[in-house]
Amino acid sequence: MASINLRTDPIGSSFLHYLLPAVSGMVVKSLYVMVDTIMVGRGVGPDALAALALTIPFFALFLALSLMIGVGGSALMSIRFGRGEYEEGQALFSQSMLLTLIISTLLVATGLYWLDDQVLITGASGALFEMTRDYLGIMLLFFVVYSLGWVMSCFVRNDTNPRLAMVALIASALTNLVLDYLFIFVFHWGVQGAALATGISQLVLFGGVLLHFFGGKGVLRLKMPEFRFDHMPKIISTGLPTFFIESTVGVSTLVFNWVLIRTGGDLYVTAYSIVINVAVLVLFILMGIGQACQPIISFNHGASASDRVRQTLMLGIKTAIAVGVSALLLATFASDWLVSLFVSDNPALSELAGFAMPLYFLAFPCMAVNLLIASLFQAIEHPMTATVLSLVRGFGFVVLGLMLLPALFPEAGVWLAVPFAEVMTMAGSLYLYLRYRQQTVGAVSLHASRLHNV
């Protein structure tokens, strides 16, 4: 892949340079979850689907922490590179990896020690408890490598090598697919086999992104990190919006599971498992579009090129809205086919999931706008604004919707909570963006006036 100049190359070509690798990477990431779910649904049964749904909050936590550090640190690195501060960029990478190692190791140790207690928090009992425990217990063994691989892929992508990050993710997904088939359908290892397949695939991802440092491409170098912590607060604060985007998926899923268990028992939880697995694919595509914009925005923000920042954001929003509308149309007209990928010979489950999916997918056109505006504020070092948007979008308004809508719409209310949250958030997102635009235009006009007077 030809190198690009983020300072001078056309925005369209720079965007395309990052778009395919970023979106492919996020799609592959969602396939880790989706392939497990399809294989388990077909090979083990609907009860196992409910068990996997109950483990989503744990996945979301580790992924949220990884992307908080990876996206936050790599965005700061891009800004430093835009200013020509390459040593500071290297320090940000080293400290990000060290921080990931410390946090993930502590969380894995805690998770293994209190494994039963954490599974009980999900609301699981009986056979569902045993399946959830089996799956989570194996996955925890791989979560340190899982976290390090995702953080490293963020830096490799921003270090002008998005193609390698994409190839590593694809290789990891193919490994997961092949091992899922062997462990579930050939060896009959059930949910434990699905967990083992996913864990081994994370080793492939980690090894793949490591190749970046042996090819001499880019600025970053792999070396023993100094035990410095001066950049860590800034890495965390910059990455907090991504943390809340990902972690609120886990928290809202946990709340959804509690509400669904009370509403309709295991059937509703299993239907939600199908809907959320398809929805996560669309969410990750939208996040991939945001990741494609982020290095361009960060670099040009560091270079004080506000016009190029605006052009990049507008291109990203248009692309994301097109994806959101397409997803809604697919869920509206092809929900039966989508549900059939996960389960067959269960009419009640198929009917419920087919009813829920189009309602849930009403969220995506508005979500496209919200995610891209939050990505803008994160990329230009306005983390507090992005964090507030992510919190109210992914948790505050979702919980409010779950409290209000089921009483107003007994059958559809629970599935409309996320669309409600996205519509409410979009009003705030647009207001904050317009205010930022006014400030930016004012600052540019003032600077031009001063130059004219000189």
Side-chain angles (χ1 to χ4, degrees), residues 1 9 24 35 65 98 115 165 168 189 191 200 217 232 237 247-248 291 315 337 345 387 427 438 450:
M1 180 178 288
D9 283 358
S24 299
V35 168
L65 287 166
L98 179 61
L115 181 58
W189 290 350
V191 293
I200 293 173
K217 188 172 184 178
M232 289 186 184
S237 65
S247 65
T248 51
Q291 286 189 8
L315 183 56
W337 173 74
D345 301 324
T387 299
Q438 290 173 350
R450 286 175 176 172

Side-chain angles (χ1 to χ4, degrees), residues 122-146:
T122 67
S125 59
L128 189 57
F129 174 90
E130 295 298 328
M131 283 187 175
T132 306
R133 187 186 188 282
D134 288 345
Y135 189 83
L136 186 60
I138 291 175
M139 281 305 307
L140 280 168
L141 300 176
F142 294 93
F143 271 156
V144 172
V145 173
Y146 176 87

Side-chain angles (χ1 to χ4, degrees), residues 32-42 49 52 180 273-274 277 341-342:
Y32 287 131
V33 181
M34 184 176 288
V35 168
D36 274 337
T37 309
I38 292 173
M39 293 284 190
V40 169
R42 292 282 184 173
L49 283 179
L52 264 63
D180 262 331
S273 173
I274 294 171
N277 273 281
L341 295 175
F342 296 85

Side-chain angles (χ1 to χ4, degrees), residues 80-101:
R80 299 302 182 273
F81 284 0
R83 297 172 182 167
E85 300 170 359
Y86 296 107
E87 286 298 322
E88 286 298 298
Q90 176 68 46
L92 283 160
F93 169 64
S94 299
Q95 290 188 37
S96 294
M97 294 299 291
L98 179 61
L99 181 61
T100 305
L101 180 62

